[in-house]
Amino acid sequence: MSLANKTVDIRENRLHTILHYNGDAQDLNERGKKGELQIGNSGYEQCGNCQEGCAVGQVYGILDAALIEHAPLGCYATISASCVSGKSTAKARGKGVFHNKAICTNISERETIYGGTEILREAILEAKKRYDPRVIFVTTACVSGIVGDDVEGTARDTQDEIGVPVISISCEGFKSRIWSSGFDIAFNEILRIVREPRKKQDDLVNIFNFVGSDTFTPLLSMLNLRVNYLPSQTTVEELSQISEAACTATICETLATYIGDELERRYKVPQVKAAAPYCLGWTDRWMREVAKLTHRESLAEQVIQKENERIRPELEVLRKELGNQRVYVFAGDAYAHNMANIASDLGMEVVGMTTYHHDQYADTREINTLNFMVESVGNVPNYTVCNKQPYQVLKFLKALKPDILIVRHQALAVYGYKLGIPTIFEADSNKCVGYDGIIELGRRIKRVFQTRKLIQNISENAELPYTDWWMDEGTDPFYFEGEHQ
Amino acid sequence: MSEFIERAKFACALGGAISTLTALPKVVPIVHAAGGCAGYLSNTYSMAAGYKGSGFCGGSMLPTSNIAEQNIVFGGEDRLAEQIEHTIFALDGDLYVVITGCQVEIIGDDSISVARRYRDRNVIGASTPGFLGNALRGYDSVLSSIVEDVVEPAGTRDPLTVNIFGAVPGQDVFYRGNLDEIKRLLGLIGIRANTFFATGENVASIKSYGAAALNLVLSPAAGIAPAERFQEVHGTPWLQTELPIGPSGSAVFLRQAGEALGVDRITVEKAIRAEDAAYYSFFERIVDIYSDLDLQRYAIVVADSYYAHPLTRFLANDLGWIPYLTAINDIEEADAQAAYTERFRDISSETKPLIVYERNAGRLLEIVRNSRPRNDNRKYYDALEPAYVVGSVIERGLAEKLGAGFLSVAFPVSNRVVLNRGYAGWTGGLALVEDLLTGIVASR
């Protein structure tokens, strides 16, 4: 295990990520490529996520690792939901029964005064005793950061005592305004358990993803390739071998281009430099790219032809039925591009999009999902960037009146319903992958249209908290931007 | 030093504050904290409290100062002031409540003073950092501020009006059904109950709570602080009561409230008799199968102190189950534990439950197993069966390992959808019988 590791800078510095933009996709793409946009500020904000949550999400699901959140119990409150999705993902992927192996140090007022390294040390010993893990991850929180606990030093000292690697992840929420910085920080530490390749595994494909269904195995098994889902639901041993894979791909470039880039640089594992396989065209291109990296070009052509023919009849019907529908996408940066792309492939008109942030470029410069989307969908008007901020999105939706809204994060679909717009929550981010994925999304959109009556009733009875001034069509949705203390 | 948490049965104080405020109609929380706190905590209660949802201005709509590193270094009060001003501008609330996360408390922002600057525009503040403790501390802090800053001094007292404290929204997954029933119960004996969160209450009605003659606190762990603040500010006394579940608990509750407010005994007893009669006219239906299907169970109750004794009493005194073990997860001090254990003297069954104070859900199986003699392959071994676990969803695993029936009542409850259901009162007792026994007959 390599103990010396470089640190990774937060995205606002490294990728010149922005949080505020109003314009269209083409303009953002052109100006973003030059990195000329500023992160932006607003004098009124609603809540987002934090980088600790993103970091915890990456290491929590590693099967034989334990996690210690060195935090007050509130930061740990999301673990219940993570445990539920961990269990269902394990079931969906035939990984047996998933067990929670996380502990919260439960920092109280006392530790904010006297420091918390002693309880952290005890928690590490306790985790070793309770779970006998291969690796223990320790995440920091705002409190441990501000109080100044030496988490890294405590981890290092205790590691020697128990003989199990203890890896600290410094991910205090306040340290980055771009919560997806937490992915990079977690992956940077996960790289410590990756070993030098012993033998190349020519049929192994690294797939970085969140939790959810197993849609890559049906796709890649047609090319006689094995899927290595990362990092959730893998063992430490499987993680240590990712340096031996034939190539690396991701379902969402916002998630994993940092580690993809590092694997390429450190261990010569090439990245699939095509857009993720969402929609027909992108799936074909992604399959070809994987095939090229794994030397299966002619097999891929056969598969592509066969699969295209297989789904064509239903796809044609769906395109006919869904054509002319106007869709709005509200999701994370790269994933929003995936969704817009499928919707467009289903014949729908993408009338607007909001992404939670925008990386002006990725760690690997050739991977630019906005550029991929503009090439495939064309320009998308009404393209905005904001850190969730339902108060703004509400005004975009009221002005554009789309027929359907697609969101990616929890607790956002509810606003579509309250406005009377049929809405799809893309909880399982693997679901729309590949040839079957496009059909799947089409069927789901058709299904949600059948709940129109309910959605209408909800919107007629919903009470929104905004003032008449804010709801007025004449009020600029960007009124508060630029002001910030 | 606090204990480690493995499976969380509470969020932090800020979580409790958010869950409390989003349960009040037209109340807008303003969270002064880093970007993740509000959304994560709101989602926790939205998803793990019977899917109670994000409410009027919860979820990702929660106004938050989203403080970043520069605020940690230079202070966040200016950012908070800006956020308050703009929140009032964009959001139409009857009350705005500034609540605080750990970061801003450690760096020393005086958030409550900043909130006070906007007092004339219905802004108040409460200190709710996560490191203060669990969600109940957030409820206490927020309600204490409302008691002090929103409830108006009353000219005259209404001798038959009470305020109810201690039912923490979200932490009590059934809070609204429970409070609606408590209003009904007290109404039976002519008492008007203000509850903050029941159907039809709002900020305007809360302002008039000062006219109450008495405050009733339903929990030993939440609501005492605001009730004491109420006494300091408005001079109103408070009385410790309990969540009344089913006939036994509800009768005790009505007698206690009636006596405290001077309601004549005949009125109280008449109401109890009428409710008992109605209850048993329904309960009578399952008498045919109670014995035929052998519905008696050994009961294991795992809950916070708000639910633990009331549930155990109902199962033993009203349902005829054998209370085997009751585990309480939120009382730490020895004196408070001893006082709580005293409550179980009213358990009328021959077998008295083993009472343990244990926060680590993982240890309960061991406790149950150690409480029984070992089997050693004896032919007539008296196993703990049939058993039934009433706890949070976290105890589902315990129930599976014991081969016991299972119902989740205490937080977290992620395996049930809860709308207007409640377990308080005679009505709630019937609902609880339905839910418990449906679990037993579900596969028939």
Side-chain angles (χ1 to χ4, degrees):
Chain A
M1 174 153 320
S2 71
L3 286 178
N5 212 20
K6 64 167 195 167
T7 55
V8 54
D9 204 357
I10 54 177
R11 287 195 184 192
E12 42 267 67
N13 298 339
R14 202 177 84 247
L15 307 179
H16 293 167
T17 302
I18 61 165
L19 285 174
H20 299 268
Y21 172 78
N22 176 28
D24 62 56
Q26 204 157 352
D27 173 68
L28 176 63
N29 188 29
E30 293 311 319
R31 293 168 68 189
K33 281 180 192 165
K34 294 178 210 142
E36 67 180 45
L37 296 162
Q38 299 297 313
I39 183 167
N41 280 313
S42 174
Y44 172 73
E45 292 188 31
Q46 294 172 326
C47 62
N49 293 15
C50 76
Q51 58 165 1
E52 190 214 6
C54 291
V56 164
Q58 296 317 302
V59 293
Y60 174 72
I62 298 172
L63 294 172
D64 47 2
L67 166 67
I68 293 164
E69 281 196 54
H70 187 39
L73 76 171
C75 304
Y76 189 74
T78 54
I79 286 292
S80 287
S82 305
C83 188
V84 169
S85 57
K87 280 181 191 296
S88 61
T89 303
K91 207 168 156 193
R93 298 186 188 169
K95 289 279 184 179
V97 180
F98 178 83
H99 294 288
N100 178 64
K101 287 188 296 305
I103 292 178
C104 175
T105 55
N106 191 14
I107 291 177
S108 65
E109 193 152 19
R110 186 180 187 283
E111 286 79 41
T112 68
I113 299 161
Y114 300 105
T117 51
E118 188 48 35
I119 58 166
L120 173 59
R121 203 186 82 86
E122 283 173 34
I124 295 170
L125 299 178
E126 186 66 25
K128 160 74 178 153
K129 198 170 86 188
R130 281 190 203 178
Y131 313 120
D132 194 23
R134 288 277 315 274
V135 170
I136 297 172
F137 290 102
V138 179
T139 53
T140 59
C142 293
V143 171
S144 56
I146 299 172
V147 170
D149 283 349
D150 180 9
V151 173
E152 201 181 338
T154 308
R156 203 171 41 234
D157 296 347
T158 320
Q159 160 175 290
D160 297 339
E161 195 174 332
I162 61 174
V164 170
V166 181
I167 299 176
S168 66
I169 302 176
S170 179
C171 54
E172 296 91 315
F174 67 84
K175 285 204 170 158
S176 174
R177 292 175 63 200
I178 315 296
W179 24 279
S180 42
S181 290
F183 298 143
D184 311 333
I185 297 168
F187 284 132
N188 194 47
E189 301 302 334
I190 284 174
L191 279 166
R192 287 179 186 234
I193 51 183
V194 177
R195 67 178 186 221
E196 287 295 325
R198 292 175 191 161
K199 58 172 194 313
K200 202 75 194 166
Q201 301 190 46
D202 295 330
D203 62 343
L204 189 66
V205 178
N206 292 329
I207 302 282
F208 283 94
N209 75 144
F210 296 97
V211 288
S213 50
D214 177 10
T215 44
F216 278 90
T217 303
L219 203 58
L220 288 177
S221 63
M222 291 186 288
L223 298 178
N224 302 320
L225 291 167
R226 288 182 296 134
V227 178
N228 195 18
Y229 282 117
L230 299 164
S232 197
Q233 306 289 332
T234 47
T235 61
V236 171
E237 176 60 29
E238 284 166 329
L239 266 174
S240 74
Q241 297 174 25
I242 61 178
S243 54
E244 297 173 356
C247 57
T248 298
T250 177
I251 62 141
C252 174
E253 290 75 1
T254 295
L255 171 67
T257 40
Y258 173 73
I259 191 166
D261 196 64
E262 287 296 313
L263 289 171
E264 189 163 285
R265 249 178 7 85
R266 296 187 194 189
Y267 304 110
K268 310 274 177 290
V269 180
Q271 289 180 91
V272 178
K273 293 197 180 77
Y278 292 84
C279 99
L280 205 54
W282 283 10
T283 302
D284 287 351
R285 204 193 310 166
W286 187 85
M287 292 287 274
R288 287 195 177 102
E289 193 66 26
V290 172
K292 200 169 82 192
L293 296 170
T294 56
H295 314 295
R296 285 156 163 81
E297 285 97 332
S298 62
L299 175 60
E301 290 308 321
Q302 290 167 30
V303 167
I304 288 167
Q305 196 188 347
K306 213 177 96 212
E307 288 297 291
N308 272 267
E309 277 167 23
R310 179 175 65 86
I311 66 160
R312 183 172 299 128
E314 188 169 354
L315 183 58
E316 277 172 7
V317 174
L318 286 170
R319 280 174 174 162
K320 206 169 288 169
E321 289 177 346
L322 297 175
N324 305 324
Q325 297 292 334
R326 301 163 71 250
V327 62
Y328 196 98
V329 178
F330 180 23
D333 191 22
Y335 203 81
H337 305 146
N338 294 342
M339 289 294 105
N341 199 46
I342 303 192
S344 168
D345 203 6
L346 284 165
M348 302 166 79
E349 183 194 351
V350 185
V351 294
M353 296 176 72
T354 300
T355 66
Y356 309 147
H357 74 280
H358 179 65
D359 298 325
Q360 293 194 67
Y361 30 77
D363 288 287
T364 311
R365 294 295 193 269
E366 312 85 295
I367 297 177
N368 181 337
T369 60
L370 178 61
N371 197 49
F372 293 147
M373 186 197 74
V374 171
E375 280 175 6
S376 133
V377 176
N379 190 19
V380 174
N382 310 303
Y383 195 109
T384 50
V385 176
C386 65
N387 184 10
K388 291 193 175 171
Q389 309 305 313
Y391 80 105
Q392 288 183 303
V393 175
L394 173 99
K395 289 185 75 75
F396 308 150
L397 293 172
K398 274 175 70 78
L400 290 169
K401 299 187 179 61
D403 299 305
I404 185 149
L405 169 67
I406 300 177
V407 304
R408 162 72 183 117
H409 276 207
Q410 192 194 327
L412 295 175
V414 58
Y415 308 122
Y417 277 64
K418 286 186 175 176
L419 291 172
I421 303 166
T423 302
I424 281 185
F425 167 40
E426 192 64 7
D428 178 349
S429 47
N430 289 6
K431 201 144 192 173
C432 290
V433 161
Y435 300 100
D436 291 309
I438 177 171
I439 301 292
E440 157 71 26
L441 187 67
R443 287 177 186 165
R444 252 190 312 150
I445 291 172
K446 272 176 62 183
R447 231 174 37 228
V448 77
F449 281 146
Q450 297 184 46
T451 61
R452 273 201 183 107
K453 181 66 187 152
L454 167 75
I455 293 165
Q456 187 192 329
N457 289 342
I458 290 170
S459 77
E460 282 168 9
N461 288 289
E463 191 184 15
L464 290 163
Y466 303 101
T467 54
D468 293 342
W469 168 76
W470 184 253
M471 296 299 271
D472 189 275
E473 272 176 38
T475 305
D476 177 11
F478 302 92
Y479 178 86
F480 294 114
E481 300 226 339
E483 306 180 42
H484 200 282
Q485 292 295 318
Chain B
M1 192 186 80
S2 335
E3 248 185 279
F4 304 135
I5 308 276
E6 184 173 79
R7 298 300 306 275
K9 292 185 174 178
F10 293 92
C12 64
L14 179 60
I18 290 171
S19 189
T20 299
L21 292 174
T22 51
L24 290 166
K26 294 209 78 170
V27 169
V28 175
I30 300 174
V31 182
H32 187 32
C37 305
Y40 288 143
L41 292 166
S42 176
N43 281 351
T44 294
Y45 280 105
S46 175
M47 299 299 284
Y51 304 92
K52 80 175 186 68
S54 46
F56 172 69
C57 191
S60 37
M61 279 193 291
L62 280 165
T64 307
S65 57
N66 286 342
I67 53 151
E69 186 137 31
Q70 62 173 57
N71 308 113
I72 299 293
V73 178
F74 300 108
E77 292 183 10
D78 292 345
R79 171 71 194 106
L80 173 61
E82 174 189 63
Q83 179 72 15
I84 294 171
E85 280 171 25
H86 291 155
T87 301
I88 299 167
F89 221 35
L91 298 183
D92 189 12
D94 290 343
L95 177 69
Y96 304 83
V97 185
V98 172
I99 48 180
T100 55
C102 299
Q103 311 86 355
V104 300
E105 294 284 347
I106 299 178
I107 64 170
D109 277 3
D110 188 355
S111 309
I112 294 177
S113 293
V114 176
R116 281 218 178 97
R117 286 186 224 154
Y118 303 90
R119 185 67 202 88
D120 60 336
R121 296 161 83 182
N122 296 322
V123 181
I124 66 170
S127 172
T128 57
F131 60 73
L132 264 191
N134 70 25
L136 308 182
R137 299 288 74 75
Y139 166 91
D140 279 351
S141 177
V142 160
L143 281 203
S144 295
S145 293
I146 289 177
V147 161
E148 190 165 332
D149 298 333
V150 179
V151 173
E152 292 168 354
T156 52
R157 286 272 156 76
D158 176 355
L160 286 176
T161 295
V162 296
N163 303 316
I164 306 289
F165 288 90
V168 180
Q171 201 61 47
D172 175 3
V173 175
F174 303 87
Y175 73 96
R176 198 159 151 200
N178 284 341
L179 290 173
D180 280 357
E181 172 71 1
I182 282 170
K183 271 177 106 92
R184 189 188 75 85
L185 287 190
L186 291 168
L188 295 171
I189 58 170
I191 299 174
R192 211 177 85 96
N194 302 314
T195 71
F196 292 93
F197 310 103
T199 309
E201 299 195 58
N202 54 40
V203 173
S205 63
I206 289 171
K207 285 181 182 167
S208 70
Y209 283 9
L214 180 68
N215 290 319
L216 297 178
V217 181
L218 295 176
S219 162
I224 294 173
E228 285 188 334
R229 181 74 64 88
F230 211 113
Q231 188 156 18
E232 286 160 26
V233 178
H234 304 284
T236 316
W238 63 276
L239 180 67
Q240 175 81 69
T241 61
E242 245 185 336
L243 180 70
I245 298 180
S248 313
S250 303
V252 170
F253 178 75
L254 282 191
R255 286 184 189 124
Q256 198 183 6
E259 192 183 303
L261 291 176
V263 179
D264 75 275
R265 268 196 204 166
I266 297 164
T267 307
V268 174
E269 294 307 319
K270 225 172 112 184
I272 292 170
R273 269 201 309 282
E275 287 292 307
D276 272 349
Y279 176 90
Y280 281 101
S281 77
F282 284 105
F283 189 85
E284 186 261 350
R285 294 184 182 194
I286 56 116
V287 177
D288 285 56
I289 59 158
Y290 194 93
S291 173
D292 288 8
L293 298 182
D294 189 9
L295 294 182
Q296 195 193 38
R297 292 290 182 271
Y298 287 101
I300 295 171
V301 175
V302 184
D304 46 24
S305 55
Y306 172 78
Y307 267 120
H309 173 257
L311 279 172
T312 307
R313 178 174 57 190
F314 175 78
L315 298 176
N317 297 11
D318 295 312
L319 195 57
W321 286 10
I322 300 166
Y324 185 75
L325 170 75
T326 296
I328 298 118
N329 58 33
D330 64 342
I331 302 182
E332 282 171 43
E333 288 79 30
D335 289 353
Q337 291 181 350
Y340 194 76
T341 300
E342 276 295 299
R343 295 187 176 200
F344 288 83
R345 290 165 75 98
D346 66 357
I347 299 298
S348 61
S349 55
E350 193 175 315
T351 303
K352 306 297 177 199
L354 174 66
I355 315 282
V356 297
Y357 293 87
E358 177 58 66
R359 199 148 74 170
N360 184 351
R363 282 190 208 131
L364 290 171
L365 183 65
E366 192 187 315
I367 290 170
V368 173
R369 287 196 172 141
N370 289 342
S371 71
R372 313 279 301 168
R374 287 190 166 277
N375 181 343
D376 299 329
N377 288 323
R378 273 173 300 162
K379 194 172 173 188
Y380 297 106
Y381 174 67
D382 184 12
L384 184 68
E385 61 181 28
Y388 205 108
V389 175
V390 182
S392 72
V393 72
I394 291 170
E395 276 68 53
R396 183 167 46 193
L398 172 71
E400 278 164 10
K401 285 176 190 127
L402 293 171
F406 171 67
L407 183 71
S408 59
V409 174
F411 180 88
V413 174
S414 57
N415 64 330
R416 304 179 59 185
V417 170
V418 178
L419 298 173
N420 65 352
R421 202 163 203 66
Y423 291 138
W426 282 269
T427 316
L430 289 173
L432 187 51
V433 173
E434 285 179 353
D435 294 342
L436 290 165
L437 301 190
T438 296
I440 296 175
V441 300
S443 61
R444 284 174 65 88

